[in-house]
Amino acid sequence: MDSIDGVRELLRGLPVLKGRAPEFDPHDVPDDPVELFVSWLRTAVDSGVVEPHAMTLSTVDTGGRPSARVLILKDVDSAGWHFAVNAGSRKGRELAARPVASLTFYWPELVRQIRVSGPVAADSRELAAADFLARPAGSRQMALTRRQSEPFDSDAELDEALARADLELRADPHLAPPDWISYAVQPAEVEFWQGDPQRRHKRVHYELVDGKWTRNRLWP
Ligand SMILES: Cc1cc2nc3c(=O)[nH]c(=O)nc-3n(C[C@H](O)[C@H](O)[C@H](O)COP(=O)(O)O)c2cc1C
């Protein structure tokens, strides 16, 4: 193994857990993790966390090979954590073949991380269509090229595909393609983690057992 000069030292010199952790009593948490998530989300928004709705979505393919990428959270409710994908993209194909996922939020300003995992279920067509129609025109055009995650080698081809998508949208401004799918991660496990510079991290782990939430603290 050839090490690259200085990288190990560069990494070791970087600070971590330097945010300001809010008050958090792991004994005083709601029974439902959705409630705690929304409370932490509101704190993140109020504290000016940058893009708190950006989350890492991890999926697996049929061979068990994992992949992850950042995506925008669209909603959270009793059905779960909602996001939308192009069916033909890598994540879209993986979710169709293996309907399970894990979400990771990291809010460094608050030294907080949240992990959610469980099966995914497609939302109704109406919900997916409403999500699509609420997207800016440029995002809708790009989605209508229906080629996300394919090999790319020509800007001219992309320009052409976008021009076609623009025509499609002009012909039908209410167009919502069936390959735009909204999913919800139905939580089976949710973990709230608040970091501590002394490494006495506070961790609360919720798990759904026989349809009821149980929770435990985890060793830091
Ligand atoms: C902050 C941020 C937000 C993103 N939001 C989205 C999104 O809402 N939808 C999307 O398809 N890709 C989004 N991306 C790009 C994805 O991370 C990813 O590159 C893309 O969806 C292709 O992933 P795939 O090849 O695994 O399907 C975002 C990336 C970042 C960094």
Side-chain angles (χ1 to χ4, degrees):
M1 185 177 60
D2 295 332
S3 61
I4 302 176
D5 236 13
V7 173
R8 183 174 290 276
E9 293 70 25
L10 174 71
L11 292 171
R12 190 157 288 161
L14 293 175
V16 70
L17 308 182
K18 293 297 181 198
R20 284 169 63 94
E23 281 296 309
F24 174 51
D25 178 358
H27 298 289
D28 184 20
V29 292
D31 291 336
D32 186 340
V34 170
E35 207 181 305
L36 186 54
F37 178 83
V38 171
S39 155
W40 277 33
L41 177 67
R42 288 190 197 283
T43 303
V45 173
D46 293 345
S47 309
V49 168
V50 175
E51 300 177 4
H53 55 340
M55 60 188 187
T56 299
L57 164 74
S58 303
T59 53
V60 276
D61 68 12
T62 50
R65 190 168 55 163
S67 68
R69 74 292 288 152
V70 174
L71 222 62
I72 294 298
L73 175 70
K74 296 295 178 70
D75 199 5
V76 187
D77 58 20
S78 58
W81 276 251
H82 300 262
F83 60 90
V85 305
N86 260 118
S89 67
R90 177 171 179 175
K91 59 190 161 321
R93 286 181 273 120
E94 291 185 356
L95 287 167
R98 280 270 183 108
V100 290
S102 173
L103 306 174
T104 311
F105 296 82
Y106 174 44
W107 298 327
E109 297 92 331
L110 301 178
V111 208
R112 283 180 164 178
Q113 172 185 246
I114 303 171
R115 301 195 287 172
V116 179
S117 64
V120 295
D123 292 317
S124 66
R125 279 300 330 139
E126 291 72 28
L127 207 144
D131 176 82
F132 186 81
L133 291 170
R135 289 165 64 83
S139 306
R140 278 180 287 146
Q141 276 174 18
M142 189 58 83
L144 283 171
T145 64
R146 300 179 175 88
R147 293 184 58 179
Q148 189 179 46
S149 310
E150 282 184 18
F152 174 84
D153 46 27
S154 160
D155 278 303
E157 211 182 331
L158 175 59
D159 290 343
E160 243 174 68
L162 286 172
R164 272 198 305 274
D166 185 42
L167 286 179
E168 245 187 293
L169 275 180
R170 281 174 199 275
D172 181 1
H174 300 293
L175 177 67
D179 48 358
W180 186 254
I181 302 184
S182 174
Y183 279 110
V185 178
Q186 303 172 323
E189 281 182 77
V190 185
E191 186 200 322
F192 296 83
W193 182 98
Q194 180 160 299
D196 172 66
Q198 269 69 53
R199 277 29 182 198
R200 294 177 71 100
H201 313 308
K202 295 173 181 167
R203 304 178 64 186
V204 178
H205 179 249
Y206 289 77
E207 193 170 7
L208 203 55
V209 179
D210 297 330
K212 284 212 163 66
W213 286 112
T214 61
R215 64 174 184 272
N216 291 296
R217 290 191 60 185
L218 298 178
W219 193 265

